[in-house]
Amino acid sequence: MTKKKKEQLRAKGVQKNRTMIEGFDEVSHGGLPIGRTTLVSGTSGTGKTMFATQFLYNGIHYFDYPGLFVTFEESPADIITNAYSFGWDLEQLVKDGKLFILDASPDPDGQEVAGNFDLSALIERIQYAIQKYKAKFVSIDSVTAVFQQYDAAPVVRREIFRLVARLKRLNVTSIMTTERVEEYGQVARFGVEEFVSDNVVIVRNVLEGERRRRTIEILKLRGTTHMKGEYPFTVTNDGINIFPLGAMQLTQRSSNTRISSGVKTLDQMCGGGFFKDSIILATGATGTGQTLLVSKFLQEGCEQGEKAILFAYEESRAQLSRNASSWGIDFEEMERKGLLKILCSYPESTGLEDHLQMIKSEITNFKPSRIAIDSLSAMERGVSNNAFRQFVIGVTGYAKQEEITGFFTNTTDQFMGANSITESQISTITDTILMLQYVEIRGEMSRALNVFKMRGSWHDKGIREYSIDKDGLNIKDSFRNYERIISGSPTRITVDVKND
């Protein structure tokens, strides 16, 4: 079959409407299938109503598609008020005739309905509203509220099937939200909703360690492709923001341009400096000088007229400025010149997705050439390895996409000896790794530095001794006549000299 024939066949297949929800169109390979119903299921507080609202608002705002919101729980006034928080003026859209909110909330007195239950009257109301307002997008929130007094799964399945069939006949693209009992369990409360829907999206808000983590997963999009697995998302002032990490494409060319680390000897050890747009990781025990390397890296950039951002998660602004000044680095002067921005926050203040969104926003607004994170190990506290790795991928991927050089630090728990830098698999994401550690030589503590890895370049493989003084990092010669330096227990090599 020819390529042209395949394209013609695909054109006859399932077509999609873009939702313009940040990241969702990438995860869904183009949006939601046209003329079909998508079930959005989640526990309380996972963002279902927001997803349904943003879907309608974006359809009107970007494509001028009239929308219908059918609410079974919240009042129209509450829906309009909540939308204001995200800059969505639904009230004006209602006045303009572009949005209609159908109030189908149950009787507040809670009176039970006698006899056989069916949605015939409601379906007719929905059809009338769709035809009257020429709606192309429809959100129904939530069907669980309709059936909460009815436990019979066959009734639920029958009535949802009738509703979905009518929506398909009217050729509207719709979202139908439903509650689920557990984050990981049956898809929806009654266990049948997903079988009568063409598409199923699951939103979660899981407690991992000490922090909540929001994710979204497309379980199925019948007749079309989508990305598999869970993807983190957060809620910003603009609504839902999904991070489709698997969809990130690093299409920019790798730069062969070298930039200085701010330490002359370290530049020599790296074959002439770091590559522009590379990711550098400095790892070592506390007190080995990672923050000093960060300070020199930022200072060098600012002296070259480049903008830089420091994201600090362990020290306050005052501590950072005081430490830098002890090495002759004036952070405050760099800030006054508009070249440096320092942002300090506790890792536990919010979830990793919110930290990632903040980093991306600051980069977008400030447009730096260099960024530094001090330290990644602080961000790792209280989260799963997978969540932490996704955060690092998100930061490094965005930095590379924007062609920014990133310098990150990692503080290890082990005071001496070999340090694991692959526990969270972050070493594979970085381009350059600098290992800093303490070693005992002749009964005294010394510091050792090694360029452990530098992708695409020759680098010094020696283990150098270094000291920290008022001028910063003073890198000396390699440890000679010693082996097992990395292990933290060096032994002296005996050199035999033979006379001829």
Side-chain angles (χ1 to χ4, degrees):
M1 186 180 294
T2 64
K3 183 177 179 181
K4 183 178 180 180
K5 181 64 175 177
K6 285 185 178 181
E7 291 299 325
Q8 290 174 342
L9 291 174
R10 289 194 185 101
K12 295 180 180 180
V14 177
Q15 303 301 306
K16 296 178 180 178
N17 279 129
R18 288 184 294 162
T19 66
M20 305 306 289
I21 294 174
E22 186 73 30
F24 184 79
D25 294 341
E26 286 77 15
V27 174
S28 60
H29 290 173
L32 294 179
I34 296 173
R36 295 187 176 184
T37 298
T38 299
L39 186 75
V40 177
S41 183
T43 58
S44 179
T46 49
K48 303 181 297 297
T49 301
M50 184 183 300
F51 191 98
T53 307
Q54 191 170 354
F55 165 69
L56 290 181
Y57 177 81
N58 287 354
I60 298 169
H61 180 73
Y62 290 102
F63 308 113
D64 200 28
Y65 290 165
L68 170 65
F69 195 112
V70 184
T71 173
F72 290 107
E73 292 184 304
E74 296 184 83
S75 68
D78 285 342
I79 292 170
I80 289 171
T81 300
N82 294 341
Y84 283 135
S85 301
F86 304 100
W88 307 332
D89 191 349
L90 301 189
E91 185 174 22
Q92 186 60 50
L93 296 180
V94 170
K95 290 178 180 177
D96 294 340
K98 295 182 177 180
L99 174 68
F100 180 71
I101 302 178
L102 175 59
D103 187 359
S105 55
D107 187 340
D109 295 329
Q111 296 177 357
E112 295 188 6
V113 179
N116 293 329
F117 177 80
D118 69 63
L119 294 179
S120 297
L122 176 62
I123 291 174
E124 294 304 322
R125 288 178 65 192
I126 292 174
Q127 176 172 313
Y128 175 78
I130 290 172
Q131 293 174 335
K132 179 179 179 180
Y133 293 95
K134 297 180 174 57
K136 293 180 71 72
F137 283 1
V138 176
S139 287
I140 301 173
D141 182 48
S142 83
V143 294
T144 306
V146 184
F147 300 106
Q148 58 188 356
Q149 298 180 39
Y150 302 89
D151 294 327
V155 174
V156 176
R157 179 168 186 153
R158 182 194 69 209
E159 295 306 312
I160 292 180
F161 179 80
R162 291 179 60 210
L163 175 58
V164 169
R166 184 66 64 89
L167 293 170
K168 181 176 287 189
R169 193 186 313 162
L170 294 168
N171 196 34
V172 293
T173 306
S174 58
I175 282 178
M176 188 164 59
T177 71
T178 185
E179 293 278 346
R180 64 192 311 218
V181 180
E182 299 174 337
E183 300 293 359
Y184 294 94
Q186 67 180 29
V187 172
R189 182 180 295 275
F190 299 103
V192 297
E193 297 92 323
E194 67 270 28
F195 298 109
V196 294
S197 301
D198 294 311
N199 319 303
V200 177
V201 174
I202 299 175
V203 284
R204 298 185 176 95
N205 190 15
V206 181
L207 182 63
E208 290 189 352
E210 299 174 353
R211 299 185 228 179
R212 289 262 171 202
R213 182 168 184 258
R214 296 179 185 269
T215 63
I216 188 167
E217 177 185 9
I218 298 177
L219 192 64
K220 69 173 181 178
L221 289 183
R222 188 169 289 158
T224 184
T225 62
H226 60 88
M227 292 174 63
K228 310 298 191 297
E230 293 183 67
Y231 294 89
F233 77 92
T234 189
V235 176
T236 70
N237 291 332
D238 299 316
I240 289 174
N241 191 328
I242 301 166
F243 303 103
L245 304 178
M248 295 181 71
Q249 297 182 358
L250 303 179
T251 55
Q252 81 285 352
R253 296 179 180 177
S254 296
S255 174
N256 290 322
T257 303
R258 301 272 187 167
I259 64 169
S260 175
S261 65
V263 180
K264 185 177 179 180
T265 310
L266 180 57
D267 290 344
Q268 294 170 353
M269 292 177 67
C270 293
F274 303 140
F275 285 120
K276 186 179 180 181
D277 74 26
S278 64
I279 303 298
I280 303 100
L281 175 69
T283 181
T286 182
T288 50
Q290 300 102 307
T291 302
L292 169 56
L293 285 175
V294 164
S295 302
K296 298 295 287 185
F297 170 77
L298 296 173
Q299 180 191 37
E300 177 65 25
C302 291
E303 288 180 350
Q304 299 301 319
E306 300 174 354
K307 286 185 176 181
I309 302 179
L310 169 58
F311 300 97
Y313 297 104
E314 289 192 307
E315 295 183 285
S316 67
R317 176 187 295 272
Q319 288 174 311
L320 289 166
S321 295
R322 183 170 61 250
N323 292 341
S325 64
S326 67
W327 303 310
I329 301 171
D330 193 341
F331 275 171
E332 293 180 357
E333 178 63 20
M334 296 179 209
E335 287 186 286
R336 280 193 293 270
K337 290 180 178 178
L339 295 173
L340 177 65
K341 193 169 188 178
I342 300 176
L343 298 163
C344 304
S345 62
Y346 287 110
E348 296 81 4
S349 63
T350 189
L352 287 181
E353 290 72 41
D354 296 300
H355 282 298
L356 175 56
Q357 178 58 35
M358 184 270 289
I359 290 171
K360 290 177 65 175
S361 296
E362 292 295 339
I363 289 174
T364 300
N365 294 331
F366 195 65
K367 296 179 173 53
S369 298
R370 302 185 182 206
I371 64 168
I373 294 181
D374 186 27
S375 72
L376 286 180
S377 49
M379 305 301 290
E380 193 174 10
R381 293 196 298 262
V383 300
S384 67
N385 273 352
N386 182 54
F388 176 65
R389 179 175 170 81
Q390 287 188 331
F391 167 77
V392 176
I393 291 174
V395 174
T396 56
Y398 192 69
K400 283 182 172 292
Q401 178 181 304
E402 299 300 312
E403 301 184 8
I404 294 169
T405 312
F407 195 113
F408 307 149
T409 69
N410 176 61
T411 303
T412 60
D413 294 331
Q414 196 167 339
F415 191 68
M416 296 183 67
N419 302 307
S420 174
I421 54 175
T422 58
E423 205 166 285
S424 299
Q425 295 85 42
I426 61 173
S427 62
T428 58
I429 303 169
T430 58
D431 300 302
T432 300
I433 297 177
L434 308 177
M435 290 186 64
L436 302 96
Q437 66 181 106
Y438 291 106
V439 293
E440 181 186 354
I441 302 290
R442 295 184 296 274
E444 292 185 358
M445 293 297 293
S446 298
R447 294 185 178 94
L449 168 66
N450 169 244
V451 180
F452 185 78
K453 161 189 169 182
M454 189 163 185
R455 189 170 287 151
S457 172
W458 171 92
H459 61 88
D460 188 332
K461 298 175 177 60
I463 302 171
R464 301 282 199 103
E465 183 178 5
Y466 71 96
S467 61
I468 298 175
D469 54 33
K470 63 180 179 62
D471 297 319
L473 206 72
N474 181 20
I475 301 175
K476 306 173 185 177
D477 292 334
S478 299
F479 286 97
R480 298 190 180 279
N481 302 328
Y482 283 92
E483 62 181 4
R484 301 186 66 193
I485 294 287
I486 295 293
S487 70
S489 302
T491 55
R492 189 173 181 85
I493 302 172
T494 302
V495 181
D496 293 330
V497 179
K498 295 181 179 180
N499 295 321
D500 293 334

